Amino acid sequence: MTIAILGGTGPQGQGLALRFAMAGIEVALGSRDAARSVEIARDLNAKLAGRPRCARIDGFENDRAVVAAEQFVMLAVPYAGHDATLRAIAPLLAGKTLVDLVVPLTPGDPKSVSMPPEGSATEAAQALLGERTRVVGALHNVSAHTLNHLDQSINCDVLVCGNDVDAAEAVAELVGRIGVAAYYAGPASSARCVEAITPLLIRLNISRKVPFSHAGIRIWAPGAPA
């Protein structure tokens, strides 16, 4: 299997590429700058050298990364580039699932969100691409720092939302391959709540109200040991 990660040269995209490659899933790393993407892919493959059963990470311009993906195209660009990136790749998404990771953080204040008129970045993506394209929101609340520390397990669960339940469950299964529990949290409108968790976590980390940094969320059973 090959997945595409657009915005793959950023910290979150790089961390996800490493985690999926460690799980044996080939990654097409997408960027507006193909040369930069090739350079980052080379660096990421070097980090995986010596680890068993890792798949390859290859760098491409965004459109070629989308074409290389068999089913899943992950969008991890800054929110400022969200809509423009989707418009550019929309004709290439036929038959594929867009996994939207983007959180509309307020410019200059990552402790809050400025949701688009549609209600969330996930809903904005679905509106822009139309109902013929499957859009799933996922991986919004995972720290890029945690993803890039490969000798540590990922300290959170993942909430997945989308109007196409089968597509959402397929994304949850894919996410599970990097060692996290993923739960279907409802239709695309649920992304309004899920995306808004990220600035709350950022606020906690900045305020130091918890005795650690890069906090995550867990769905936990009553009485289960911490």
Side-chain angles (χ1 to χ4, degrees):
M1 175 192 294
T2 299
I3 65 170
I5 302 177
L6 309 187
T9 58
Q12 187 182 31
Q14 290 186 44
L16 286 169
L18 289 167
R19 295 286 181 162
F20 280 111
M22 287 172 60
I25 298 169
E26 294 188 359
V27 177
L29 207 65
S31 172
R32 291 178 299 175
D33 183 343
R36 174 66 173 160
S37 188
V38 169
E39 177 186 0
I40 293 294
R42 182 172 59 246
D43 293 343
L44 296 179
N45 285 317
K47 289 183 180 181
L48 296 174
R51 292 179 180 268
R53 297 182 295 280
C54 288
R56 183 172 176 78
I57 302 169
D58 290 299
F60 301 97
E61 196 170 6
N62 279 337
D63 56 352
R64 288 192 60 201
V66 174
V67 171
E70 295 171 28
Q71 181 178 359
F72 301 104
V73 177
M74 296 190 168
L75 185 65
V77 300
Y79 180 61
H82 180 268
D83 289 3
T85 302
L86 288 178
R87 290 190 185 98
I89 65 170
L92 305 174
L93 289 172
K96 299 184 181 183
T97 298
L98 178 82
V99 185
D100 199 323
L101 287 64
V102 178
V103 174
L105 297 174
T106 302
D109 183 11
K111 302 185 300 299
S112 65
V113 288
S114 295
M115 293 297 192
E118 294 83 359
S120 65
T122 301
E123 291 171 282
Q126 187 68 81
L128 191 154
L129 296 172
E131 293 301 323
R132 296 174 68 178
T133 298
R134 297 182 296 271
V135 175
V136 175
L139 292 159
H140 300 102
N141 314 135
V142 186
S143 162
H145 175 90
T146 299
L147 289 170
N148 281 280
H149 278 65
L150 302 182
D151 293 323
Q152 298 178 2
S153 60
I154 299 172
N155 65 329
C156 65
D157 297 334
V158 170
L159 299 175
V160 177
C161 48
N163 295 336
D164 187 313
V165 177
D166 290 339
E169 290 180 346
V171 171
E173 182 179 358
L174 173 69
V175 169
R177 293 181 63 174
I178 64 172
V180 298
Y183 301 94
Y184 178 60
S189 59
S190 296
R192 303 176 189 186
C193 301
V194 179
E195 293 173 20
I197 293 171
T198 294
L200 298 180
L201 294 173
I202 292 172
R203 182 178 293 275
L204 283 173
N205 290 325
I206 291 174
S207 68
R208 301 186 185 279
K209 295 298 184 181
V210 291
F212 45 81
S213 60
H214 310 292
I217 62 167
R218 280 269 167 86
I219 308 302
W220 214 244

